[in-house]
Amino acid sequence: MAGTLYVVATPIGNLEDVTLRALRILRDVPLIAAEDTRRTARLLQHYSISTRTTSLHAHNEHEKAPVLIDRLKAGDSIALVTDAGTPLISDPGQGLVRQARAAGIRVEAIPGPSAVMAALSASGWGGEGFTFLGFPPHRSSDRERWLARLVDIGQLTVVFEAPHRIARTLDELGELFGKDHEIAVARELTKAHEELVIGPISAARTRFHEARGEFTLLIPPKNASSSAPVSVPDVNHLREELGRLAKDRAIGRRDALKQLAARYGLSVNQLYRLLES
């Protein structure tokens, strides 16, 4: 009987975020296929897990996957892990999972920590849906086309970015959306120096011009921060609506501001300036 391929989510920073089920699987399987065995070793050592590991990353997956498939066919179960978070979500493992399914091998997901979900829940955004695009391409031509798509999506978009490219990406987003466009930038989620900055792109660019750690960006659609003239009620009517939203839906002022701004195609900053005028 063939073994099972477990796709195991691991902590994105804080080692305490791992699930009990993930720890059990990592202890019970005879082999763990890890993107970086050194990083996985820290998690295993923290929980006194002695399971053997083997590397499976973007540069060796083509050659390594068939070897692992043979072990699964022979009856061994394998846990697939990435450096942090869930495998296949902007991380390697897609080839192995597809080959396992093609071979009739059971693939079982062990869900857990996610930078996307952590950023969305902490920001208060994403309740009306979102699009996840992973990392922007590195090559200029591909990157230019990829970034241009963000303007046309018309929905909150979540992307990842590396520290050595965050300044460039924020500059490019500022050119596409306008420097006053409000975004959320999360850095080092769940770690000791975690940050979540919500505000204009220009402010994020200043804050993270020389930053370390992995980034998760939440980018609202362009029309949500458009500076074009819009038809909105007078200030007194806006204030009444804001009060009703907060009372009827039992939400805080910040969330009420976001909902009212979205209703009239304004950014939160634009709405705030109107209310304070």
Side-chain angles (χ1 to χ4, degrees):
M1 181 177 178
T4 299
L5 176 61
Y6 296 100
V7 183
V8 182
T10 53
I12 59 176
N14 192 319
L15 295 182
E16 294 179 356
D17 289 339
V18 68
T19 68
L20 294 175
R21 185 180 175 205
L23 291 176
R24 176 177 60 79
I25 294 296
L26 294 175
R27 285 193 178 97
D28 289 350
V29 294
L31 183 67
I32 298 171
E35 181 181 6
D36 185 334
T37 56
R38 293 167 299 180
R39 293 190 63 170
T40 299
R42 299 171 196 162
L43 173 67
L44 300 181
Q45 290 168 5
H46 186 80
Y47 287 101
S48 302
I49 297 173
S50 58
T51 306
R52 191 170 76 83
T53 61
T54 186
S55 65
L56 181 80
H57 48 71
H59 303 294
N60 75 351
E61 186 173 4
H62 180 73
E63 296 80 15
K64 199 68 169 287
V67 177
L68 296 177
I69 294 297
D70 286 342
R71 285 203 61 167
L72 287 161
K73 288 179 177 178
D76 285 340
S77 290
I78 296 174
L80 172 65
V81 301
T82 186
D83 287 351
T86 304
L88 280 72
I89 310 300
S90 290
D91 280 313
Q94 183 174 318
L96 177 63
V97 170
R98 285 184 173 180
Q99 289 183 44
R101 289 202 170 280
I105 294 167
R106 177 178 173 79
V107 179
E108 189 171 327
I110 313 298
S114 163
V116 174
M117 296 304 150
L120 286 168
S121 61
S123 70
W125 297 357
E128 297 180 359
F130 65 94
T131 298
F132 173 65
L133 294 181
F135 285 93
H138 299 173
R139 295 173 56 183
S140 296
S141 58
D142 294 338
R143 185 181 178 88
E144 185 177 343
R145 288 192 294 270
W146 188 92
L147 287 167
R149 287 178 56 202
L150 299 183
V151 181
D152 299 326
I153 287 175
Q155 185 179 45
L156 178 68
T157 306
V158 183
V159 304
F160 291 154
E161 191 50 286
H164 59 283
R165 285 192 294 270
I166 186 65
R168 174 189 174 188
T169 297
L170 289 172
D171 284 340
E172 292 167 330
L173 291 174
E175 294 173 2
L176 286 169
F177 289 88
K179 294 181 179 180
D180 291 333
H181 188 82
E182 186 177 53
I183 64 171
V185 181
R187 184 183 77 89
E188 295 288 80
L189 286 169
T190 78
K191 298 180 182 178
H193 301 291
E194 170 183 299
E195 291 183 89
L196 177 61
V197 175
I198 300 178
I201 292 174
S202 57
R205 176 65 176 84
T206 300
R207 174 67 187 85
F208 297 115
H209 69 286
E210 291 182 0
R212 298 179 179 179
E214 299 299 322
F215 288 84
T216 304
L217 281 65
L218 278 58
I219 310 162
K222 190 169 186 177
N223 59 7
S225 293
S226 174
S227 58
V230 292
S231 176
V232 296
D234 61 46
V235 174
N236 289 331
H237 186 84
L238 285 172
R239 288 172 181 154
E240 291 176 2
E241 278 197 82
L242 181 66
R244 284 198 299 271
L245 271 175
K247 181 179 179 181
D248 295 345
R249 302 189 184 184
I251 56 177
R253 178 179 170 82
R254 180 72 178 176
D255 288 335
L257 279 168
K258 288 179 183 177
Q259 292 187 23
L260 189 58
R263 181 177 297 176
Y264 292 107
L266 299 170
S267 72
V268 173
N269 288 337
Q270 286 175 318
L271 177 60
Y272 184 79
R273 285 194 293 268
L274 282 173
L275 292 171
E276 294 298 312
S277 61

